[in-house]
Amino acid sequence: MPLARVDELFYTSLESPIGRLYLALTDKGVCLLCIDRSEEKFLQELTDSGIKTLRRDDRKGAFVTSELKRYFSRELYHFQTPINLLWGTPFERRVWQKLSRIPYGETRSYREVAESVGVPRGYRAVGRAVGKNPIGIIIPCHRVMLSDGGLGGFGAGVDVKRYLLNLEGHSISP
């Protein structure tokens, strides 16, 4: 259930090198990005979360889709798209804010993120929060890796995480 009462969301989609992306937006910004899901499943998840009205509006999503296209073309290194977090605990939101500050082409370990949010031994809790990130890519959870340099997990699959890291200049082989 969203933290704020939201009766209506807009959504759009675009084809990307990692599959179709679906984005949900409010008038304040992007609130959800789903990778390689069916439109039906995407809409059902939003309906199940309590959203009453969903309207496709590609014009409302034009700025974010343009930024994503530029990101995948290696022309954009920092998103300016407004974000409107509707979900998440205060801890998860703190983690997501830290993820947003990881620069393009850089990575952090779960432990480093845990230390940066004030819970040095909370790397597992950070891992769970990273896994619940509702706006992947824009909030770059793919930039968080294991302390030993391993990829760790990724909601859309490790191959997608590897692709995104390689896109940003990391040389990570299969």
Side-chain angles (χ1 to χ4, degrees), residues 100-117:
S100 294
R101 295 185 187 118
I102 302 173
Y104 181 97
E106 294 185 22
T107 61
R108 301 290 183 273
S109 70
Y110 292 97
R111 185 175 306 258
E112 288 172 315
V113 175
E115 290 169 357
S116 74
V117 295

Side-chain angles (χ1 to χ4, degrees), residues 137-150:
I137 303 172
I138 296 170
I139 297 177
C141 54
H142 61 279
R143 296 178 188 155
V144 182
M145 300 178 67
L146 300 175
S147 295
D148 67 4

Side-chain angles (χ1 to χ4, degrees), residues 38-51 54:
S38 71
E39 184 170 0
E40 182 180 327
K41 185 175 180 183
F42 171 75
L43 295 174
Q44 188 61 53
E45 287 174 16
L46 288 170
T47 302
D48 290 348
S49 74
I51 305 300
L54 296 162

Side-chain angles (χ1 to χ4, degrees), residues 69-141:
K69 288 174 186 175
R70 291 177 46 225
Y71 168 79
F72 285 113
S73 297
R74 292 186 171 129
E75 298 170 7
L76 180 83
Y77 306 108
H78 180 75
F79 288 94
Q80 298 297 316
T81 294
I83 291 174
N84 186 14
L85 290 171
L86 297 181
W87 296 275
T89 66
F91 176 75
E92 289 167 344
R93 288 166 166 250
R94 240 177 36 237
V95 169
W96 300 336
Q97 288 172 351
K98 290 294 180 180
L99 299 181
S100 294
R101 295 185 187 118
I102 302 173
Y104 181 97
E106 294 185 22
T107 61
R108 301 290 183 273
S109 70
Y110 292 97
R111 185 175 306 258
E112 288 172 315
V113 175
E115 290 169 357
S116 74
V117 295
V119 287
R121 294 178 169 227
Y123 49 89
R124 285 190 180 104
V126 164
R128 285 189 295 277
V130 168
K132 291 181 178 180
N133 174 13
I135 314 172
I137 303 172
I138 296 170
I139 297 177
C141 54

Side-chain angles (χ1 to χ4, degrees), residues 45-61:
E45 287 174 16
L46 288 170
T47 302
D48 290 348
S49 74
I51 305 300
K52 304 241 184 296
T53 305
L54 296 162
R55 266 192 319 128
R56 182 164 190 117
D57 190 331
D58 295 329
R59 285 183 304 169
K60 276 200 186 292

Side-chain angles (χ1 to χ4, degrees), residues 7-26:
D7 291 325
E8 180 177 49
L9 283 182
F10 307 96
Y11 74 96
T12 190
S13 67
L14 78 143
E15 195 58 45
S16 80
I18 58 173
R20 182 158 289 280
L21 305 180
Y22 285 96
L23 297 111
L25 308 97
T26 67

